[in-house]
Amino acid sequence: MEFVQEEGYALIAFAVIIFGLLAIDLYVFNREAHKVSTKEALNWSIVWIGLGLLFGGYIYWEFGLEKSSQYYSAFLIEKALSVDNLFVFILVFKFFKVPEKYQHKVLFYGILGAIIMRGIFIFFGVTLIEMTFIPRFQISDIELNINVIMTAFGIFLIYAGIKSWKQDEEDEESKDFSKSLGTKLIHKLFRVDPQYHGSNFFVRINGKRFATQLLVVVAVIEFTDLLFAVDSIPAIFAISNDPIILYTSNIFAILGLRALYFLLANSFELFHYLQHGLAFILTFIGFKMLLSAAYHIPSYISLSVVFGILLISILASLKRYREQKA
């Protein structure tokens, strides 16, 4: 009972920090649409990453090493996958020719949608996993505790890792986002004027209400994040079954996406091998899920493996970049 109460306090502290800073971001620093400078993006990136790391320190102080290792592992996995996903956001903005000064608003509302959707996925997913264990049985001297959902997720993540390794960047760049589910939904629900009217989502033309192109882009970003969650949410279930740990780490990781987008939008050549590193991570997490029926890999080992893979892929990317510039 005491542990549940402490987790409740952690969730309250998390909510106060998140919604307080989002309000400051939207109503103080970004009341007027503007192009986000590199300096501004760097400052906000430091703020969000710093807060995420500090909250992990609070988890350690309140709940101990195991929980904090789970938090940092989930945070690192989600942050890494998010960096890879920023490339798709760039393609979306290029496809719809979104003016730079409105991109921050699109990403802001995309993040709000992600906060809600990730919460539903994580809390529902944990409940579903708890309901899908099959009775324990033994093979030779090994006792197996198989979970149907975790096994399915493990197989899926191994497949996703292999697919990510082979993914062709040219295929990504040729995507037609006008056929996205987000685009189709907005066109089905509203009359759409295919123009931008400042930062407005709706406009009146000849007395009739139209959705603007900016709302279409928000919907595409929301559905894109929904697809991202299909990879990232199953991956963090291999780290912990604590919904508070998973949700707080996940949200802190994606909250810095907007700032990170503007910081890295012109620097993706520095992360050439990141996709391959993420493929290894997804595959590792998939195998960890399959092994969990017989053996639990400690969270600090998972954290070390994920961090090591990311470090190697980033260093290899920087080496390649320097050699090309030489």
Side-chain angles (χ1 to χ4, degrees):
M1 182 69 179
E2 183 179 351
F3 178 75
V4 174
Q5 188 178 39
E6 288 177 349
E7 281 206 329
Y9 291 147
L11 194 58
I12 292 172
F14 166 79
V16 170
I17 292 171
I18 295 308
F19 289 106
L21 281 171
L22 284 176
I24 292 172
D25 184 1
L26 183 63
Y27 296 108
V28 177
F29 292 103
N30 292 284
R31 292 185 65 179
E32 295 184 6
H34 67 284
K35 179 182 177 180
V36 177
S37 67
T38 300
K39 181 180 179 181
E40 182 182 352
L42 177 61
N43 289 337
W44 275 107
S45 292
I46 292 172
V47 167
W48 287 120
I49 293 174
L51 282 172
L53 296 176
L54 285 174
F55 196 82
Y58 166 75
I59 296 295
Y60 172 77
W61 176 67
E62 195 70 48
F63 305 113
L65 178 61
E66 178 64 18
K67 289 291 183 180
S68 64
S69 295
Q70 292 174 1
Y71 171 89
Y72 282 123
S73 296
F75 175 83
L76 194 57
I77 289 171
E78 182 61 37
K79 179 63 73 175
L81 292 172
S82 296
V83 171
D84 189 49
N85 295 337
L86 291 178
F87 177 68
V88 181
F89 289 171
I90 290 176
L91 297 182
V92 171
F93 287 144
K94 284 184 177 179
F95 182 86
F96 289 105
K97 297 181 175 60
V98 182
E100 290 183 332
K101 62 181 179 179
Y102 303 137
Q103 291 177 6
H104 178 276
K105 183 173 182 177
V106 171
L107 292 173
F108 180 89
Y109 283 97
I111 293 290
L112 287 183
I115 290 175
I116 297 170
M117 287 191 294
R118 301 295 175 102
I120 294 171
F121 285 171
I122 289 172
F123 285 90
F124 175 74
V126 168
T127 302
L128 187 62
I129 288 171
E130 290 175 352
M131 295 170 56
T132 53
F133 280 98
I134 65 176
R136 292 173 181 264
F137 62 95
Q138 195 162 336
I139 298 178
S140 297
D141 295 330
I142 301 175
E143 185 179 36
L144 297 177
N145 186 26
I146 296 176
N147 183 279
V148 176
I149 298 298
M150 291 286 280
T151 301
F153 280 166
I155 295 170
F156 170 75
L157 288 176
I158 293 171
Y159 165 77
I162 295 171
K163 183 179 178 182
S164 179
W165 181 274
K166 297 179 178 180
Q167 186 172 321
D168 190 341
E169 290 184 6
E170 291 184 3
D171 290 342
E172 288 290 320
E173 293 179 357
S174 63
K175 279 187 177 179
D176 183 358
F177 292 102
S178 65
K179 298 177 181 178
S180 162
L181 288 175
T183 304
K184 291 178 180 178
L185 179 64
I186 297 301
H187 278 268
K188 187 173 183 179
L189 294 176
F190 308 103
R191 290 184 290 261
V192 177
D193 179 45
Q195 303 294 328
Y196 293 102
H197 295 266
S199 60
N200 297 317
F201 291 137
F202 293 95
V203 66
R204 287 199 172 274
I205 301 176
N206 297 326
K208 295 181 179 180
R209 190 169 182 252
F210 285 80
T212 67
Q213 190 76 324
L214 200 65
L215 184 64
V216 174
V217 178
V218 170
V220 172
I221 291 293
E222 294 285 9
F223 273 91
T224 302
D225 181 72
L226 187 63
L227 295 176
F228 293 163
V230 173
D231 282 347
S232 62
I233 298 301
I236 62 174
F237 283 141
I239 303 300
S240 174
N241 62 355
D242 186 331
I244 304 300
I245 295 295
L246 297 180
Y247 185 61
T248 53
S249 61
N250 202 269
I251 299 306
F252 266 121
I254 66 172
L255 277 171
L257 266 186
R258 290 165 301 136
L260 206 56
Y261 167 84
F262 294 107
L263 190 62
L264 301 178
N266 298 316
S267 307
F268 274 92
E269 66 275 11
L270 295 176
F271 300 94
H272 179 78
Y273 293 115
L274 180 62
Q275 178 181 321
H276 300 90
L278 296 178
F280 271 115
I281 290 173
L282 289 173
T283 305
F284 165 73
I285 296 298
F287 278 115
K288 179 182 177 180
M289 281 184 161
L290 296 181
L291 287 172
S292 65
Y295 176 73
H296 171 67
I297 299 176
S299 297
Y300 67 88
I301 293 180
S302 298
L303 178 59
S304 300
V305 171
V306 171
F307 180 79
I309 292 173
L310 285 176
L311 183 61
I312 291 171
S313 63
I314 291 173
L315 290 176
S317 298
L318 291 174
K319 183 176 182 294
R320 176 183 181 273
Y321 176 74
R322 288 171 182 171
E323 289 175 349
Q324 287 185 334
K325 291 293 182 180

